[in-house]
Amino acid sequence: MGKRIVIALGGNALGNNLPEQMVAIEQTSKAIADLIEEGHEVIIAHGNGPQVGMIQAAMTELTRSNPEKYIPCPLSVCVAMSQGYIGYDLQNGLREELLDRGIDKPCATVLTQVIVDPEDPAFKNPTKPIGSFMTKEEADKMVEERGYTVVEDSGRGYRRVVASPKPQSIEEIETVKALVNAGHVVVACGGGGIPVIHTGGGHSHHLKGAAAVVDKDFASCVLAQQLDADCLIILTAVEKVAINFGKPEEKWLDDLSAEEAKKYMAEGHFAPGSMLPKVQAAVQFAESKPGRTALITLLEKAKDGINGKTGTAIHA
């Protein structure tokens, strides 16, 4: 019996620039097609770190060089742009790979908005660095002119930091569901989704873009829950999750209960900003309903992972 699987692709599945992205997507498409060939329903979410940074930098450069003609581009719009061109490459790469295997399945990207809470404490404590490095002078100018929050980033210069609020729900979930139920392969929640907040009281349904970036692992977890998926696969740069990573007593884990995972998280085994959100999202999904499992593994091991041969399986 095929499973309904949400796959969260890490940045390494997409490359850092356009030529790299073309090459990376060819490999990514093969790994995803393997799962579809085995009879699974697959929904794809992905990150956009380098891509949204590139768009943001280009737009900033444009407005700096000609402020009379161009106005600053909101971050939510930059996320939407990144969803568009990454989705374009992904849906084409995947469609081509599937047709090469004699599988005629439509592939489509849904431009996805993710509802976040305007009261989320993340808005008071921006932590996610985006965009290009700036000198102290440039950074001060951005703070003064645009009200940006900037931090000094590991001796490499200053960078803008934005909020990373938790996703509440997927605005286009019914559209995604309809496409999946009709047998389509869907790319959704690109870059964690376009963060939006509900404004206006009563029956008003006005959505306003937020200056934030949603973590794609948490967004894919919410997507998987709302689609009632059986499995959430979070793809990363390592085959399995480790405790004591990089130390002599390093240990790779095949299997992890939610309780064990919480214990390891509390002990500080997983690095914030890399493995920690992946384990948090995996635990959240595994605990959300009986029978749901999450898997953290390498892209090219996705098929072996779902068949229980490798990766770290996380269950309630």
Side-chain angles (χ1 to χ4, degrees):
M1 213 11 225
K3 291 182 169 154
R4 178 170 285 191
I5 300 169
V6 169
I7 295 185
L9 298 175
N12 52 341
L14 299 168
N16 284 308
N17 52 43
L18 277 174
E20 273 184 32
Q21 185 169 303
M22 300 297 281
V23 176
I25 279 175
E26 211 170 299
Q27 292 312 309
T28 300
S29 298
K30 285 184 169 59
I32 296 168
D34 284 346
L35 293 172
I36 295 167
E37 203 163 32
E38 296 214 323
H40 301 300
E41 285 183 327
V42 176
I43 302 94
I44 301 142
H46 60 81
N48 69 345
Q51 294 86 357
V52 79
M54 180 182 82
I55 293 167
Q56 183 79 16
M59 297 315 257
T60 304
E61 204 46 56
L62 191 65
T63 51
R64 270 186 201 165
S65 62
N66 196 341
E68 284 74 46
K69 191 172 176 191
Y70 300 107
I71 56 168
C73 182
L75 186 54
S76 50
V77 174
C78 295
V79 174
M81 289 181 189
S82 74
Q83 279 192 7
Y85 89 82
I86 295 169
Y88 156 64
D89 271 356
L90 266 174
Q91 68 188 34
N92 285 349
L94 201 49
R95 174 91 172 134
E96 190 180 335
E97 180 63 33
L98 290 171
L99 285 173
D100 284 350
R101 299 182 189 205
I103 303 167
D104 188 1
K105 264 186 175 298
C107 303
T109 300
V110 174
L111 209 63
T112 319
Q113 301 176 91
V114 168
I115 310 292
V116 296
D117 180 357
E119 300 302 315
D120 192 307
F123 282 112
K124 293 194 173 59
N125 179 28
T127 53
K128 206 150 178 77
I130 61 151
S132 50
F133 288 97
M134 301 178 279
T135 63
K136 176 95 174 78
E137 293 69 38
E138 287 174 322
D140 288 344
K141 192 163 181 264
M142 288 291 127
V143 171
E144 196 185 329
E145 287 178 8
R146 298 192 187 164
Y148 284 2
T149 307
V150 299
V151 293
E152 199 283 318
D153 191 343
S154 1
R156 292 176 295 178
Y158 290 79
R159 282 180 92 186
R160 178 185 181 190
V161 283
V162 296
S164 189
K166 291 279 186 291
Q168 305 288 310
S169 65
I170 314 291
E171 179 67 17
E172 288 77 16
I173 195 67
E174 292 307 323
T175 307
V176 176
K177 244 181 231 173
L179 288 168
V180 173
N181 291 341
H184 297 225
V185 181
V186 182
V187 179
C189 286
I194 303 158
V196 291
I197 49 181
H198 279 290
T199 60
H203 297 289
S204 155
H205 190 81
H206 181 64
L207 297 175
K208 180 175 179 286
V213 176
V214 177
D215 182 277
K216 63 109 176 94
D217 298 314
F218 291 126
S220 53
C221 174
V222 173
L223 178 67
Q225 288 178 63
Q226 289 194 283
L227 286 174
D228 196 18
D230 304 295
C231 188
L232 169 66
I233 305 182
I234 297 176
L235 299 175
T236 183
V238 287
E239 192 168 333
K240 293 178 187 181
V241 176
I243 50 172
N244 298 312
F245 184 66
K247 294 180 186 156
E249 63 274 30
E250 179 177 270
K251 182 181 171 210
W252 297 93
L253 309 167
D254 298 319
D255 191 82
L256 201 50
S257 72
E259 288 313 309
E260 289 171 315
K262 285 176 185 170
K263 180 171 141 296
Y264 291 143
M265 285 193 272
E267 290 169 6
H269 281 284
F270 311 124
S274 60
M275 191 51 85
L276 183 62
K278 293 173 174 52
V279 178
Q280 286 172 326
V283 168
Q284 191 183 320
F285 181 70
E287 287 190 321
S288 62
K289 191 178 170 184
R292 287 179 176 171
T293 54
L295 177 75
I296 299 177
T297 193
L298 269 175
L299 172 70
E300 48 276 18
K301 302 280 183 179
K303 180 178 157 184
D304 285 345
I306 207 80
N307 292 327
K309 292 176 189 166
T310 189
T312 304
I314 294 148
H315 47 85

